[in-house]
Amino acid sequence: MDHNAKEINKRRTFGIISHPDAGKTTLTEKLLLYGGAIQQAGAVKARKAERYATSDWMTVERERGISVTTSVMKFNYMGFEINLLDTPGHQDFSEDTYRVLTAVDSALMVIDNAKGVEPQTEKLMEVCRMRNTPIITFINKLDREGMAPLDILSDIEDKLQIECAPLSWPIGMGKRFKGVYSIYKNELHLFTPGQNITGAQGIVINDPYDSYLDDLLGSPANELREDIELIQGAADPFDLEHYLKGNQTPVFFGSAINNFGVKEMLDTFVQIAPCPGPRAAVSRNVSPYEEPFSGFVFKIQANMNPAHRDRMAFVRICSGRFTRGMKATHHRIGKNITFSNATIFMANDRENIEEAYPGDIIGIYNHGTIKIGDTFSDKEPLKFLGVPSFAPEIFKKVILKNPMKAKHLKKGLTHLAEEGVAQVFRPFQGKDYILGAVGMLQFDIMMERLRSEYGVDAAYESVHFNVARWVECHDIKKMEEFERKNSANMAWDSEGSRVYLTTSEWHLGYCVEKWPEIEFSKTREITDRLPS
Ligand code: G4P
């Protein structure tokens, strides 16, 4: 096997998804402890507190230089190079999360044992399903009372429409929580409350019928045996192919805060999770093993260094090998660029890199020429698919207070839209911009950054739109007629695509029925056209 292939095969690039408070941060921290990337518990948590616990969101955004190290965390575990991509927990930033998920090869889903599947988990799952992303499930907080294990499995199967294959099974829960039995390895790990260290995992028993188990557990030993027989008869057995296709999720039980069940999950994760695979581009599928370099931008982050107006583009490498100083073509603008300074993100630090491989995420400084969705490659004009824009759900009109600043406003809105802070629409009628977002916080951040970075004093005014769809039609005449008849509802997005805005889903339904030739879409590939 050549050097590149070896490097690719040991890479695991994944994201953790969960509803806020399920335990994503706590679990991330434990994974980093195992990977030796942090030395003490609390490091990630403290950073999360800096990011979220303050009511002053704007300062927090400006201080992204601190928090960005949590966006991508690279660590090594048992010879595997792991890239963990953080997804913002707050639902107002779900667009950002969706895009991050386009850069991973698999996901880890954390579910609170007491709450089961929550709304944000369902939304994130929809995104994973768009690319059939393989998902491992970790049911957290077994040290507290929660749903019965079989009930939580059926909750996942019903709400998320994915088959569950338990690879571990809890013995009791809450105060009666005794440990987990690994169905994958036929091992029993006993739980010691408060044990919060890596390495030691208590007593290990390889046979559930060993009478030693009765001595250790008492009556729960028989309950466990019955459970094992039941799930071996009733639950779906683990099937690697099903998992890799995104049709089945292996399920682990544990308690992140007590560091219980985490190592079993991580050990299995590195064995079964996929290494970087082929990626779909407009013209063809690109294999990671191809020699020419290629990668795409899935995230742009501003103010990494408050002293400069730099923005960092996060590039997921899809094929070939990245070397410092190499040249690649930035296809959307048709220019060659030299990667003289690329950054790789370690859990605690960032450093300049000499080389990187498919699956790795590199950061490139950018002065405003790079957009989310852009592709870089050696020569062939590739355009990777799968970085979507989602139709926003909340809309506001931007009213400029000082008309002399119209140019600044335009520039600010263009930049911030490119970063994905919110979406910007230019209505066919009138000259005010309309912003669209998924969460209210996006509006606050947009306004604050317009003020602090572009010197624009503006305000919001409400608009009566609540629904947006991108519209297209093969018949140009029909499209023109549609535009004419609906011009009060039409706008351009920042890419120059047509958008239909309306008041309600009901109205939209009416319009869809009335105009069968028009295609209405809820998502759109970002920059899905190569310049001709
Ligand atoms: P998130 O990133 O998904 O939002 O969740 P986070 O890890 O911050 O965890 C949310 C809360 O759940 C935290 O409590 C955390 O301590 C707790 N937690 C995480 N894992 C477990 C577990 O295995 N068992 C139990 N019982 N609790 C767990 P908090 O009170 O919100 O914060 P803190 O005061 O502990 O920092």
Side-chain angles (χ1 to χ4, degrees):
M1 204 189 300
D2 73 7
H3 176 70
N4 269 26
K6 268 193 199 145
E7 291 294 333
I8 294 165
N9 293 350
K10 66 183 190 190
R11 269 161 176 78
R12 300 286 182 271
T13 300
F14 79 110
I16 306 189
I17 56 174
S18 74
H19 190 88
D21 268 353
K24 184 163 70 79
T25 312
T26 312
L27 186 64
T28 301
E29 185 162 283
K30 300 298 168 193
L31 296 177
L32 294 179
L33 277 169
Y34 280 116
I38 53 171
Q39 269 65 49
Q40 73 197 61
V44 178
K45 197 91 194 159
R47 227 179 276 143
K48 175 178 164 176
E50 274 169 37
R51 273 163 94 188
Y52 298 123
T54 162
S55 59
D56 187 356
W57 276 84
M58 313 315 158
T59 320
V60 171
E61 275 299 301
R62 261 183 267 129
E63 285 173 358
R64 273 293 175 101
I66 312 164
S67 63
V68 75
T69 46
T70 57
S71 296
V72 183
M73 290 160 278
K74 190 176 174 62
F75 63 97
N76 186 286
Y77 181 72
M78 287 180 22
F80 291 90
E81 294 284 331
I82 301 178
N83 293 301
L84 197 176
L85 273 59
D86 189 30
T87 55
H90 200 289
Q91 62 186 25
D92 281 9
F93 295 125
S94 44
E95 275 200 272
D96 211 17
T97 302
Y98 301 151
R99 288 195 209 106
V100 168
L101 287 176
T102 63
V104 302
D105 299 302
S106 70
L108 178 61
M109 174 166 73
V110 187
I111 289 181
D112 184 327
N113 183 38
K115 302 205 172 125
V117 174
E118 295 178 85
Q120 185 69 358
T121 333
E122 286 185 65
K123 271 193 158 184
L124 291 164
M125 183 71 192
E126 268 176 43
V127 180
C128 289
R129 194 167 283 123
M130 287 165 74
R131 294 181 51 240
N132 299 327
T133 308
I135 297 172
I136 290 182
T137 301
F138 186 79
I139 314 274
N140 193 24
K141 309 195 187 181
L142 263 289
D143 59 319
R144 281 197 191 157
E145 291 299 330
M147 293 163 76
L150 277 175
D151 290 346
I152 205 151
L153 296 188
S154 45
D155 191 46
I156 297 171
E157 295 200 332
D158 289 351
K159 291 200 184 125
L160 302 180
Q161 296 294 306
I162 189 165
E163 194 180 285
C164 288
L167 290 188
S168 77
W169 199 254
I171 309 160
M173 70 172 71
K175 289 205 174 68
R176 296 169 294 109
F177 182 49
K178 297 264 195 286
V180 288
Y181 176 73
S182 164
I183 298 172
Y184 193 59
K185 286 194 187 159
N186 273 338
E187 273 177 9
L188 180 82
H189 293 250
L190 289 183
F191 173 64
T192 318
Q195 176 186 315
N196 196 5
I197 48 163
T198 54
Q201 286 290 328
I203 300 161
V204 176
I205 291 176
N206 289 94
D207 175 9
Y209 293 92
D210 189 331
S211 61
Y212 184 43
L213 191 66
D214 299 280
D215 302 341
L216 286 169
L217 297 179
S219 62
N222 270 335
E223 277 171 41
L224 172 67
R225 288 175 189 134
E226 279 168 23
D227 277 354
I228 293 173
E229 277 170 25
L230 182 72
I231 45 172
Q232 276 168 351
D236 295 295
F238 172 63
D239 180 327
L240 185 65
E241 282 305 307
H242 272 348
Y243 156 67
L244 292 175
K245 284 185 183 145
N247 296 329
Q248 186 190 67
T249 177
V251 180
F252 292 84
F253 291 85
S255 164
I257 202 149
N258 291 293
N259 202 11
F260 203 81
V262 177
K263 186 172 184 299
E264 290 77 2
M265 196 251 324
L266 180 59
D267 287 351
T268 314
F269 165 81
V270 291
Q271 296 299 335
I272 67 171
C275 66
R279 291 255 144 188
V282 174
S283 47
R284 64 184 184 90
N285 277 352
V286 177
S287 159
Y289 302 101
E290 290 178 20
E291 217 170 283
F293 169 86
S294 68
F296 70 90
V297 178
F298 65 95
K299 183 183 168 91
I300 295 202
Q301 186 136 27
N303 304 325
M304 301 278 296
N305 179 350
H308 303 106
R309 276 285 176 82
D310 277 341
R311 299 196 292 171
M312 187 170 271
F314 288 73
V315 177
R316 145 100 198 200
I317 300 178
C318 298
S319 68
R321 185 166 79 113
F322 169 89
T323 49
R324 186 184 162 119
M326 73 180 282
K327 287 190 171 59
T329 309
H330 182 188
H331 292 291
R332 188 176 47 80
I333 57 171
K335 276 197 175 155
N336 283 336
I337 62 162
T338 305
F339 294 121
S340 42
N341 263 322
T343 301
I344 202 141
F345 305 91
M346 307 307 286
N348 255 349
D349 214 352
R350 17 186 166 127
E351 51 189 53
N352 278 341
I353 39 156
E354 296 302 325
E355 57 174 28
Y357 295 88
D360 284 341
I361 310 297
I362 56 172
I364 307 169
Y365 282 105
N366 143 46
H367 299 283
T369 49
I370 305 177
K371 280 191 198 182
I372 292 174
D374 282 358
T375 299
F376 295 100
S377 72
D378 266 357
K379 283 189 191 71
E380 188 187 341
L382 291 169
K383 168 72 188 86
F384 285 105
L385 289 170
V387 186
S389 258
F390 289 81
E393 288 154 20
I394 317 171
F395 301 85
K396 284 184 189 297
K397 195 185 267 186
V398 184
I399 307 291
L400 188 59
K401 289 192 183 158
N402 176 357
M404 302 299 287
K405 292 276 187 181
K407 266 194 185 159
H408 292 74
L409 176 70
K410 188 173 178 203
K411 187 173 164 199
L413 288 177
T414 309
H415 281 177
L416 296 172
E418 281 168 11
E419 257 180 61
V421 177
Q423 293 182 45
V424 178
F425 302 102
R426 184 99 214 199
F428 279 24
Q429 293 181 0
K431 48 184 185 358
D432 294 320
Y433 291 95
I434 291 178
L435 292 192
V438 177
M440 289 304 288
L441 274 168
Q442 286 176 265
F443 288 106
D444 296 348
I445 287 171
M446 194 84 174
M447 197 51 88
E448 170 61 20
R449 289 191 51 189
L450 279 175
R451 192 188 57 73
S452 62
E453 294 168 36
Y454 299 90
V456 172
D457 193 11
Y460 290 125
E461 212 172 67
S462 50
V463 286
H464 59 286
F465 299 130
N466 296 299
V467 177
R469 291 292 183 270
W470 282 277
V471 282
E472 267 179 321
C473 184
H474 293 301
D475 180 344
I476 297 171
K477 286 237 160 68
K478 238 326 155 247
M479 190 74 224
E480 283 171 357
E481 187 191 343
F482 179 79
E483 286 176 11
R484 232 181 7 257
K485 299 227 163 112
N486 294 286
S487 67
N489 294 66
M490 293 298 298
W492 302 108
D493 75 359
S494 52
E495 299 291 320
S497 300
R498 291 170 179 83
V499 181
Y500 172 75
L501 301 164
T502 187
T503 46
S504 65
E505 290 282 344
W506 183 86
H507 253 110
L508 173 70
Y510 175 76
C511 190
V512 170
E513 220 166 86
K514 201 170 158 203
W515 297 88
E517 304 85 355
I518 308 284
E519 221 178 283
F520 295 80
S521 340
K522 212 174 173 178
T523 57
R524 190 184 58 84
E525 283 281 329
I526 295 179
T527 53
D528 48 4
R529 295 174 298 267
L530 280 171
S532 46

